[in-house]
Amino acid sequence: MRLKTALIAATAFTLTAIISGCNDQANGGGAGSRDQIKVVGSSTVYPFTTLVAEQFVNANPGTKAPVIESTGTGGGMKLFCAGVGAAHPDIEDASRRMTAAEFKTCSDNGVDRIMEIQIGVDGIAFAEASNGPKLTLTPADIYLALAATPRGKPNTTKTWKDVNPALPAIPIQVYGPPATSGTRDALAEIIMSRGCEAIFPDSISMKKKDENAYKKACHTIRSDGPYVDAGENDNLIVQKLQSNPNALGIFGYSYLEENKATITGVPISGVAPTYETIAGGTYPGARPLYIYVKKAHMGAIPGLDKFVDAYAKAWAPDGPLVKRGLIAAPQNIRDASAAIIANGTLLDGRDLK
């Protein structure tokens, strides 16, 4: 998987002189010190963090540009939770919430002071080329088309008409994110689960009795061809849609907004992915977006506290992140996130799943 790296030359992770007068853990770990902010994680959150980074550098002359890598939420969590110190990232971009297992891994590795900050809202957008077949799908259609074992049997559907007689007889071809992506996780949790439970009502009781069996039945994506792992480069999916009008793509709403001249959103249960439907919660694929910050690195990594403050100043409904494609969170959530930053409030972790 290729990583996208923003605002950085090949030597950007060069470590520099020890940060004087700082007793924080981020200065230790046997890895020297670092004078650049390092961010990993979600490809969906990536364009928002790079915009904040651009504005941060412009507002602070002489500051080194942050290192930002699009590793996918899951891949980023592994890097983020590996330890505290200059060798480890300061921030994790996430298009889903941290899991209980990831929180435990962090804690086991000494990453025991984490700030969870919701930066806004996004939608898992299904899209097609502007000259595409104009599909309208339901979660049940998506589940029957993409699940590895719908109704407990291997998926043999080839066309959308095989899934639903009302749909056209065109091949199922969906370009989507890899298993390391938070978008893939959200697809399973938000869309596939709904479709599975609509088609297979017993799955609801299965979820309570055997969660692993439930995930196998409801979340596992088929690997026999109709679903194509397109990696973490969402722009590549957009390009593939332009060259293959009958295909569908899955990515965050911001990529749909950026490319609305050439691609269009596919309605789910009759609701198209738009700013209004996602913000209002009527679009079935709406989801929160987060950044996770190591408090141990605040004050030790130069500018990290200012960078996080810059994020809070950019996420308002009339702010630059919304212009980039972010859906502004409701006022109460923005206020709560700002308070977490101001007070250094730590993630408790007891309500994680």
Side-chain angles (χ1 to χ4, degrees), residues 6-7 47-60 66 68 307 324:
L7 311 172
F48 307 132
T49 300
T50 56
L51 178 59
V52 173
E54 291 166 9
Q55 296 191 332
F56 170 74
V57 171
N58 290 336
N60 297 276
I68 307 169
F307 182 83
R324 178 64 65 93

Side-chain angles (χ1 to χ4, degrees), residues 71-320:
T71 62
T73 298
M77 286 292 184
K78 291 179 181 178
L79 296 169
F80 181 81
C81 290
V84 171
H88 306 286
D90 310 307
I91 297 175
E92 155 74 1
D93 290 339
S95 56
R96 59 156 172 81
R97 209 173 177 213
M98 176 180 279
T99 67
E102 289 165 343
F103 185 81
K104 183 179 185 304
T105 298
C106 271
S107 182
D108 290 346
N109 290 329
V111 187
D112 54 1
R113 292 190 292 153
I114 302 169
M115 297 161 60
E116 179 186 68
I117 302 161
Q118 183 176 338
I119 64 164
V121 182
D122 184 42
I124 305 168
F126 280 73
E128 62 183 12
S130 297
N131 60 337
K134 302 296 185 288
L135 291 176
T136 296
L137 303 174
T138 66
D141 295 332
I142 294 167
Y143 170 73
L144 290 174
L146 300 183
T149 55
R151 299 193 181 95
K153 299 178 181 179
N155 199 335
T156 59
T157 57
K158 301 297 182 184
T159 72
W160 287 105
K161 193 174 185 67
D162 294 337
V163 168
N164 181 342
L167 296 174
I170 59 175
I172 300 168
Q173 188 166 21
V174 179
Y175 297 104
T180 55
S181 171
T183 300
R184 172 84 162 255
D185 294 332
L187 168 66
E189 293 283 350
I190 299 173
I191 303 295
M192 297 285 285
S193 285
R194 291 187 186 186
C196 180
E197 290 168 10
I199 294 296
F200 183 31
D202 288 347
S203 63
I204 298 174
S205 59
M206 179 196 296
K207 186 176 184 179
K208 297 177 182 179
K209 296 177 182 177
D210 189 340
E211 189 167 356
N212 288 332
Y214 173 84
K215 288 183 177 180
K216 183 177 180 180
C218 297
H219 291 182
T220 304
I221 302 288
R222 65 194 298 185
S223 58
D224 59 334
Y227 183 89
V228 181
D229 179 338
E232 294 291 352
N233 189 344
D234 292 337
N235 285 315
L236 180 61
I237 298 178
V238 174
Q239 294 169 18
K240 288 182 179 296
L241 295 184
Q242 293 170 1
S243 62
N244 185 357
N246 283 334
L248 297 185
I250 304 172
F251 35 63
Y253 168 76
S254 63
Y255 287 88
L256 174 61
E257 179 66 15
E258 281 182 18
N259 297 278
K260 59 186 177 182
T262 57
I263 60 175
T264 185
V266 173
I268 299 178
S269 297
V271 182
T274 67
Y275 187 100
E276 291 73 21
T277 60
I278 296 169
T282 58
Y283 178 67
R287 58 172 174 171
L289 300 177
Y290 301 91
I291 59 171
Y292 290 86
V293 183
K294 290 174 183 170
K295 191 171 182 180
H297 288 202
M298 298 284 279
I301 301 301
L304 181 58
D305 52 349
K306 291 182 179 179
F307 182 83
V308 176
D309 286 341
Y311 231 122
K313 293 175 182 177
W315 64 40
D318 59 351

Side-chain angles (χ1 to χ4, degrees), residues 4-8 39 46 49-50 53 66-70 93 307:
K4 296 182 293 186
T5 305
L7 311 172
I8 171 176
V39 186
Y46 173 85
T49 300
T50 56
V67 178
I68 307 169
E69 293 180 332
S70 175
D93 290 339
F307 182 83

Side-chain angles (χ1 to χ4, degrees), residues 325-346:
L326 181 73
I327 309 294
Q331 183 68 53
N332 64 319
I333 292 177
R334 298 200 308 274
D335 290 344
S337 293
I340 289 171
I341 294 171
N343 301 324
T345 307
L346 301 180

